[in-house]
Amino acid sequence: MNEEWVQEVDAAIKKWRQGDAVLSEQGFVYRIDPQRPLTEESLDAGSEGADLAESEVRGFVVVTQTCDIVRSCSSRPFVEVVPLVEVDEQYLYEIQRGRRPQYAFIPGVAEHRLVADLDRVMTVEKSVVAGWERQPGCDSDQEVRTLGQVLARKRVRFAFPDDFTQWTGKLQSRFREKHNKSSSEGEALKSLREIRVRAAPSWHDSEIQLMFWFIRHEEEVQFQRMGWDKLLQQWLKLIPASGRFQSVEGQVVTLEDITAKDYIESDPFDLDHLSR
């Protein structure tokens, strides 16, 4: 390995942080089965006998942890990147609020309505990143912290039991129907930070007590003279106790209201899950 190259790459890469981006046309490369193509790019590549496909993207976001990015390329030569994709304003809003775990909100490129697509990950050598023009992704400690939480959540999402998914069908339909409407309920749903649910004693028991927390942002109190208490009653009516779900309770809270114990013992009930 050329020592001069190593020093040049190490010097350039030390500026990069998790969440930083490159804003230019790039190629996302992935392996395919030429006999069973699943995308237009893999269909084209497979017709030529290739087992690698490439799709054009608007840029990349580095998702490797900062401590590993800045280590010398002589011992840690690789970083992981994900492509940037453009979304509409409503989707951008939902991603910023953490409701679409497939994507990550990147403050530094949000003005272009670009977000990180976490379903697609590519490994590149640090020398490639060293040649890119760096676009800072996060400016504050809170933005850095939030991005880290989003990246972690993508890998640790809870798989709800099938009977729970079926049982909450009416609630799911209600949320999908009302979420983008200009109504009290629609505005309330947009103002929720997240929804969490806890099963006691556990999801595997034959008799379960469920607790839903609808975690709102602190500034939102009521909508068109409809308070959170009335909205909560409407939502809970859609999930009455049934089968092994013996009791169902719910609260609308802020992060300051919910205890750390309740938070870590509950699971996120996100929109990506509901859309399945």
Side-chain angles (χ1 to χ4, degrees):
M1 186 180 296
N2 187 299
E3 186 62 31
E4 183 178 348
W5 293 350
V6 170
Q7 292 178 3
E8 290 178 357
V9 171
D10 285 351
I13 208 74
K14 283 189 179 298
K15 304 174 185 177
W16 285 76
R17 299 291 182 267
Q18 185 182 64
D20 287 349
V22 55
L23 288 176
S24 62
E25 187 174 294
Q26 301 287 332
F28 179 84
V29 180
Y30 56 102
R31 187 169 295 282
I32 66 168
D33 180 348
Q35 304 303 317
R36 292 176 289 185
L38 301 178
T39 63
E40 290 185 9
E41 291 85 1
S42 62
L43 181 62
D44 292 340
S47 66
E48 299 176 358
D51 63 354
L52 291 175
E54 182 174 4
S55 58
E56 292 185 1
V57 296
R58 296 278 299 275
F60 286 120
V61 174
V62 176
V63 293
T64 299
Q65 290 187 321
T66 299
C67 58
D68 292 326
I69 295 173
V70 300
R71 292 180 64 178
S72 176
C73 64
S74 61
S75 59
R76 301 295 290 271
F78 303 112
V79 295
E80 293 180 326
V81 298
V82 299
L84 288 168
V85 297
E86 186 174 351
V87 297
D88 61 32
E89 289 289 350
Q90 177 59 39
Y91 223 69
L92 181 67
Y93 175 84
E94 293 178 4
I95 294 166
Q96 184 178 13
R97 291 295 180 101
R99 297 174 185 163
R100 300 288 178 180
Q102 177 185 344
Y103 302 99
F105 181 79
I106 309 297
V109 299
E111 63 179 308
H112 305 290
R113 298 208 316 272
L114 295 174
V115 296
D117 181 357
L118 303 182
D119 272 2
R120 295 185 286 169
V121 184
M122 186 174 76
T123 300
V124 298
E125 291 192 345
K126 288 181 176 178
S127 52
V128 175
V129 180
W132 288 342
E133 182 177 349
R134 173 178 169 263
Q135 171 67 41
C138 301
D139 288 330
S140 67
D141 288 346
Q142 183 56 48
E143 289 177 351
V144 171
R145 191 177 300 114
T146 299
L147 176 59
Q149 292 169 349
V150 170
L151 295 177
R153 180 184 177 189
K154 170 66 175 176
R155 304 302 177 195
V156 297
R157 292 171 65 197
F158 181 76
F160 289 104
D162 289 342
D163 59 344
F164 174 81
T165 301
Q166 295 172 1
W167 174 70
T168 55
K170 290 184 178 180
L171 183 64
Q172 297 177 32
S173 297
R174 178 82 173 197
F175 285 170
R176 283 196 294 266
E177 176 189 352
K178 298 294 184 179
H179 189 268
N180 293 325
K181 296 293 180 64
S182 297
S183 63
S184 295
E185 190 169 4
E187 291 301 315
L189 289 171
K190 293 175 186 176
S191 300
L192 288 176
R193 183 184 187 276
E194 61 181 309
I195 304 170
R196 301 187 71 86
V197 57
R198 182 183 65 193
S202 77
W203 288 104
H204 303 293
D205 281 278
S206 58
E207 295 185 358
I208 298 174
Q209 290 77 48
L210 291 174
M211 180 66 188
F212 285 81
W213 284 280
F214 299 87
I215 305 177
R216 64 175 178 84
H217 291 275
E218 294 184 12
E219 67 275 12
E220 310 295 351
V221 179
Q222 64 179 24
F223 306 89
Q224 299 178 17
R225 291 178 291 183
M226 178 177 286
W228 283 106
D229 55 340
K230 292 184 178 179
L231 290 167
L232 177 63
Q233 291 175 13
Q234 292 180 6
W235 296 335
L236 292 181
K237 285 180 180 179
L238 298 174
I239 45 175
S242 176
R244 66 191 185 111
F245 306 118
Q246 297 290 297
S247 69
V248 184
E249 298 181 22
Q251 289 183 347
V252 177
V253 297
T254 65
L255 280 177
E256 290 186 353
D257 298 327
I258 188 172
T259 68
K261 183 175 185 294
D262 287 338
Y263 191 91
I264 64 174
E265 289 183 352
S266 58
D267 301 296
F269 195 53
D270 56 60
L271 289 182
D272 265 12
H273 167 77
L274 297 180
S275 65
R276 291 178 181 173

